[in-house]
Amino acid sequence: MIHQIDTTDNIVAFRALAVVTNEDFLSVVIPAVEHLVKQTNEINFLLVLDTDTEASTSGVWLQDALLGLKHFGKWNRAAIITDSEEIISFTNGFGSVIPGDFLGFKKESFNKALNWVEGNINIH
């Protein structure tokens, strides 16, 4: 299950809980990202993973990848917040294959990640 988090108008933010399915992406994430692109012409994205990655169906990650390809040139900043070192490493390397800045953050750094995605701070 994915819930949208209320934030500023220049980003979309989500929290993943329990099992994440393709339907979650189709009904929650994709419409929000589509709306953001229409409003701002870019994607600033934050996802908090409060779930075990094995609790997500494999198709979800495919939906995520397709979302990225559909709006390939629109990515600006994306933060994935998790305590999984593997996902943080994957996220940090993702920016080398798709335009935009992608960073993984530990859950304890939620505020830092949010401020970075919103464009309030620079990290590098």
Side-chain angles (χ1 to χ4, degrees):
M1 178 181 319
I2 295 181
H3 297 282
Q4 191 164 0
I5 300 170
D6 288 333
T7 59
T8 59
D9 290 341
N10 70 324
I11 75 168
V12 287
F14 305 92
R15 177 163 307 209
L17 303 163
V19 176
V20 178
T21 66
N22 286 337
E23 181 59 31
D24 292 326
F25 269 83
L26 293 173
S27 65
V28 178
V29 177
I30 292 175
V33 170
E34 295 285 343
H35 180 74
L36 180 68
V37 169
K38 285 179 186 171
Q39 297 299 312
T40 67
N41 202 35
E42 68 181 11
I43 301 170
N44 293 303
F45 182 90
L46 182 136
L47 176 62
V48 179
L49 294 176
D50 276 339
T51 183
D52 184 2
T53 52
E54 286 81 35
S56 301
T57 61
S58 59
V60 168
W61 305 114
L62 177 60
Q63 284 290 334
D64 196 19
L66 292 174
L67 178 68
L69 293 175
K70 183 175 180 183
H71 295 291
F72 191 75
K74 303 294 184 185
W75 287 99
N76 184 41
R77 290 184 175 182
I80 307 298
I81 302 170
T82 179
D83 283 334
S84 166
E85 291 294 337
E86 295 82 15
I87 293 175
I88 289 172
S89 293
F90 175 80
T91 303
N92 290 342
F94 199 62
S96 62
V97 249
I98 191 166
D101 293 324
F102 292 78
L103 289 176
F105 293 86
K106 289 282 198 177
K107 288 180 185 177
E108 64 199 33
S109 298
F110 174 85
N111 288 335
K112 182 178 181 180
L114 180 62
N115 279 306
W116 176 73
V117 172
E118 289 176 338
N120 297 327
I121 62 171
N122 287 319
I123 299 174
H124 289 294

